[in-house]
């Protein structure tokens, strides 16, 4: 399990007794938080920092510990912040500055100067906050009594974002082919992606996957078919086409494992040696948290993998989606989102059906795919675009809705949603911001998670929500 270091600051000025109490309070706090967050992260209580040497030591240790995804800092007493400069300069892990106290209420009847000297985070955390701001350190400040539910949930959300950032750093992404010819928004600066997010993005020939697919055995395909049988409803007589997808599925899993790949892209213009566009196989992989971007969209694929990691343990789905077409009825405008094939069953409102239909473009055989209506509820759509000088994230709130009428002739899975604050403002804002037609949609994550991700990666973020005006 990944770790967060809990670092408490103080100083030598107060003497042994006070420092003992500081250590005991920190240990109690960590014990309590571990009880609450045990499914998410392990918090490690470190010894109280009293001077510049100790500050530098613990910050270097956190930076070098590969299982440490971030730190929680708290100034129980005053802790003069010049002693933190060297340490903070050495710290390369995300920080949550917890502005809290060991005590919830003031002991009005008994409070004296000893109590004030011991419990002065109102004082010490301001001094520490100043030096963080002066040093330009991007961090999350969480305020409140540590046993309060909202504080615990903010620490949990920070831990999940920190775990996702740790995963992002050094993540390997495979592009089968390049991006779709002439398409602008799916392209991007792969070197900058690696510098900023740690995504190691590399080209592979589709032949690398075909070679593995050709070696897949009938028995391996049988096993994959029985896995499908448990999860999906077989609604086609073209078993041969489904078995072909099962073969791709086994091959993709082998490839991902062999190359340690967390996200991949393909391109329907480059399928040499495959008889179908991967559909069902990609859909199923997405539902397991493997990042995917269609048409060579490596940014969306990689972002999807990172956001799936962030959403682990939460209810709801997270996956690649595409804006497709609208119902423009005045006052009740809706968007229909889908793709040629690749919609994650993480969004299915009921048991997905395996169907085989011809594809309008690409000139390949009819591919097997999962078809379903999408879930309802609140969600977000997040995209990343390359502005040339920097990456930009755009995050829009959406309301996923029930499909108002059946669409019996539509041979792909689909979601429908309403835009926020209203259709015209939401759509115009997205377009003015330069938002893509590809996005990662999540019913598990909140705008706040994306804000934190953007802050900690120093990425420009445009949020489209209830308060948006053009
Ligand atoms: Mn697309």
């Amino acid at each position: 399990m990944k770790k967060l270091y809990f670092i408490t600051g103080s100083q030598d000025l107060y003497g042994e007794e006070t420092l003992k109490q500081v250590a005991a309070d920190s240990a109690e706090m960590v014990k309590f938080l571990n009880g609450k967050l045990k499914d998410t992260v392990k918090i490690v209580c470190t010894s109280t920092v009293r001077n510049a040497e100790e500050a530098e030591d613990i910050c270097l240790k956190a930076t070098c510990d590969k299982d440490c995804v971030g730190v929680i800092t708290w100034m129980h007493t005053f802790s003069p912040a010049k002693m933190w400069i060297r340490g903070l300069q050495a710290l390369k892990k995300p920080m949550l500055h917890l502005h809290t106290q060991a005590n919830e209420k003031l002991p009005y009847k008994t409070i004296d100067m000893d109590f004030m000297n011991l419990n002065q985070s109102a004082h010490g955390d301001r001094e520490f906050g100043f030096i963080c701001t002066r040093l330009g350190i991007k961090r999350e400040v969480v305020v409140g009594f540590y046993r309060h539910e909202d504080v615990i949930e903010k620490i949990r959300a920070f831990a999940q974002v920190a775990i996702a950032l740790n995963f992002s750093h050094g993540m390997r992404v495979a592009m089968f082919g390049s991006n779709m010819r002439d398409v602008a928004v799916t392209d991007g600066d792969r070197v900058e992606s690696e510098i900023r997010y740690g995504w190691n993005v590399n080209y592979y020939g589709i032949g690398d996957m075909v070679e593995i697919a050709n070696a897949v055995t009938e028995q391996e395909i049988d096993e994959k078919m029985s896995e499908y049988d448990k999860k999906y409803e077989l609604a086609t007589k073209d078993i041969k086409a489904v078995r072909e997808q099962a073969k791709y599925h086994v091959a993709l899993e082998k490839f991902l494992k062999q190359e340690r790949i967390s996200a991949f892209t393909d391109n329907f213009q480059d399928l040499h040696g495959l008889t179908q566009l991967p559909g069902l196989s990609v859909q199923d992989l997405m539902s397991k948290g493997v990042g995917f971007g269609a048409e060579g969209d490596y940014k969306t694929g990689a972002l999807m993998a990172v956001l799936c990691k962030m959403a682990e343990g939460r209810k709801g789905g997270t996956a690649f989606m595409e804006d497709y077409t609208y119902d423009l009825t005045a006052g009740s405008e809706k968007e229909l989102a889908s793709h040629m094939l690749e919609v994650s069953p993480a969004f299915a409102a009921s048991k997905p059906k395996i169907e085989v239909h011809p594809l309008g473009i690409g000139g390949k055989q009819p591919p097997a795919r999962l078809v379903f209506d999408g879930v309802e509820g609140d969600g977000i759509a997040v995209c990343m675009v390359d502005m040339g000088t920097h990456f930009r994230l755009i995050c829009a709130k959406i309301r996923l809705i029930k499909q108002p009428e059946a669409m019996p002739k539509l041979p792909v899975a689909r979601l429908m949603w309403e835009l926020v604050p209203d259709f015209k403002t939401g759509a115009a804002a997205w377009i003015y911001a330069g938002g893509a037609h590809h996005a990662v949609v999540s019913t598990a994550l909140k705008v706040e998670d994306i804000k934190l991700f953007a802050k900690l990666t120093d990425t420009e973020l445009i949020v489209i929500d209830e308060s948006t005006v053009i």
Side-chain angles (χ1 to χ4, degrees):
M1 182 169 270
K2 296 295 181 190
K3 298 184 283 191
L4 293 174
Y5 281 15
F6 192 97
I7 303 173
T8 305
S10 186
Q11 61 177 329
D12 273 324
L13 198 68
Y14 307 113
E16 271 309 304
E17 277 311 302
T18 300
L19 284 169
K20 256 191 210 160
Q21 194 56 47
V22 167
D25 289 343
S26 301
E28 173 60 28
M29 203 176 279
V30 168
K31 190 177 159 205
F32 173 83
L33 291 173
N34 272 327
K36 293 286 182 182
L37 301 171
K38 60 177 182 292
D39 295 335
T40 307
V41 75
K42 165 130 185 82
I43 304 175
V44 178
C45 191
T46 64
S47 26
T48 308
V49 172
R50 297 170 300 178
N51 51 53
E53 287 67 34
E54 289 174 358
E56 189 176 28
D57 284 352
I58 192 61
C59 289
L60 281 170
K61 196 175 168 204
T63 296
C64 294
D65 183 345
K66 287 198 168 180
D67 289 324
C68 170
V69 296
V71 300
I72 299 174
T73 53
W74 172 50
M75 303 303 120
H76 192 319
T77 65
F78 193 68
S79 181
K82 284 183 187 173
M83 76 180 229
W84 284 97
I85 292 174
R86 264 162 45 210
L88 291 172
Q89 285 171 331
L91 183 67
K92 306 288 180 212
K93 296 285 165 83
M95 184 205 294
L96 182 151
H97 181 185
L98 181 58
H99 186 45
T100 192
Q101 290 186 161
N103 55 301
E104 182 182 17
K105 298 183 192 320
L106 269 183
Y108 292 99
K109 288 198 172 64
T110 56
I111 187 167
D112 56 13
M113 275 321 288
D114 285 347
F115 182 93
M116 292 253 278
N117 282 332
L118 175 63
N119 299 288
Q120 54 172 321
S121 64
H123 185 173
D125 275 335
R126 279 176 167 76
E127 168 79 354
F128 184 74
F130 163 73
I131 205 65
C132 290
T133 297
R134 169 81 192 252
L135 290 169
I137 292 174
K138 303 282 200 273
R139 77 282 189 194
E140 182 76 338
V141 178
V142 173
V143 179
F145 186 52
Y146 72 98
R147 287 174 183 261
H148 289 171
E149 209 52 43
D150 66 316
V151 171
I152 296 162
E153 288 317 306
K154 280 179 184 164
I155 298 171
R156 187 192 309 282
F158 170 81
Q160 289 170 326
V161 173
I163 289 166
L165 283 172
N166 177 265
F167 168 79
S168 180
H169 189 82
M171 182 174 89
R172 288 166 56 80
V173 181
M175 297 178 73
F176 289 118
S178 187
N179 73 313
M180 182 179 167
R181 286 190 278 278
D182 294 321
V183 176
V185 81
T186 52
D187 220 336
D189 182 339
R190 290 184 279 164
V191 175
E192 187 61 24
S193 296
E194 185 153 358
I195 293 169
R196 186 159 299 273
Y197 308 107
W199 303 340
N200 179 238
V201 187
N202 287 299
Y203 165 90
Y204 289 82
I206 191 71
D208 296 329
M209 191 279 225
V210 172
E211 201 175 312
I212 303 172
N214 288 341
V216 170
T217 65
E218 288 302 308
Q219 193 195 333
E220 287 173 312
I221 295 174
D222 289 344
E223 283 164 17
K224 194 52 81 184
M225 290 294 285
S226 69
E227 191 186 317
Y228 293 160
D229 200 41
K230 289 190 191 87
K231 291 194 284 189
Y232 310 127
E233 181 190 335
L234 195 61
T236 177
K237 291 201 166 64
D238 191 350
I239 304 303
K240 193 166 166 261
V242 182
R243 290 183 69 85
E244 185 71 12
Q245 282 287 330
K247 183 170 85 177
Y248 300 167
H249 197 159
V250 174
L252 281 166
E253 282 176 338
K254 286 183 177 182
F255 172 83
L256 298 175
K257 193 172 172 202
Q258 176 188 309
E259 300 292 321
R260 294 178 293 112
I261 302 291
S262 302
F264 70 102
T265 70
D266 64 12
N267 182 346
F268 69 94
Q269 292 171 325
D270 183 0
L271 296 174
H272 306 287
L274 298 180
T275 58
Q276 299 178 13
L277 174 66
L280 165 59
S281 51
V282 169
Q283 290 177 284
D284 187 271
L285 285 168
M286 275 199 280
S287 72
K288 291 168 178 156
V290 175
F292 173 76
E295 292 108 44
D297 185 352
Y298 83 87
K299 297 194 300 302
T300 307
L303 185 64
M304 179 193 152
V306 172
L307 296 189
C308 282
K309 176 59 74 176
M310 203 181 284
E312 269 181 15
R314 298 197 200 183
K315 286 200 184 77
T318 301
F320 164 83
M321 279 305 297
E322 174 167 289
D323 305 275
Y324 235 115
T325 190
Y326 295 131
D327 177 342
L328 286 180
T329 304
S332 67
E333 293 91 343
K334 298 166 185 58
E335 171 163 343
L336 174 61
S338 186
H339 207 259
M340 289 161 71
L341 300 174
E342 310 92 334
V343 181
S344 172
F347 296 126
S350 55
K351 197 172 188 178
K353 291 183 173 135
I354 299 178
E355 299 181 17
V356 177
H357 302 280
L359 208 56
I361 47 179
K364 290 281 171 179
Q365 286 175 15
R369 81 286 304 273
L370 296 168
V371 181
F372 53 84
D373 290 350
V375 290
E376 298 168 55
D378 289 337
I380 55 171
V382 191
C383 81
M384 179 182 281
V385 293
D386 185 344
M387 305 305 291
T389 48
H390 60 283
F391 289 111
R392 170 178 290 175
L393 284 164
I394 300 150
C395 178
K397 281 193 176 178
I398 55 175
R399 282 190 295 266
L400 289 93
I401 55 162
K402 190 173 155 55
Q403 189 177 303
E405 289 180 45
M407 294 182 248
K409 299 212 161 173
L410 189 66
V412 286
R414 76 293 304 224
L415 302 182
M416 288 195 76
W417 63 64
E418 292 169 344
L419 302 187
V420 173
D422 58 78
F423 176 76
K424 289 186 179 179
T425 308
W430 186 275
I431 288 170
Y432 275 127
H437 50 81
H438 284 175
V440 181
V441 165
S442 179
T443 56
L445 298 172
K446 306 270 178 241
V447 172
E448 287 66 33
D449 300 305
I450 307 304
K451 281 186 180 169
L452 186 50
F453 174 79
K455 179 161 70 173
L456 295 175
T457 56
D458 208 4
T459 307
E460 182 182 56
L461 170 67
I462 292 172
V463 171
I464 302 171
D465 62 11
E466 294 84 354
S467 66
T468 295
V469 285
I470 297 299

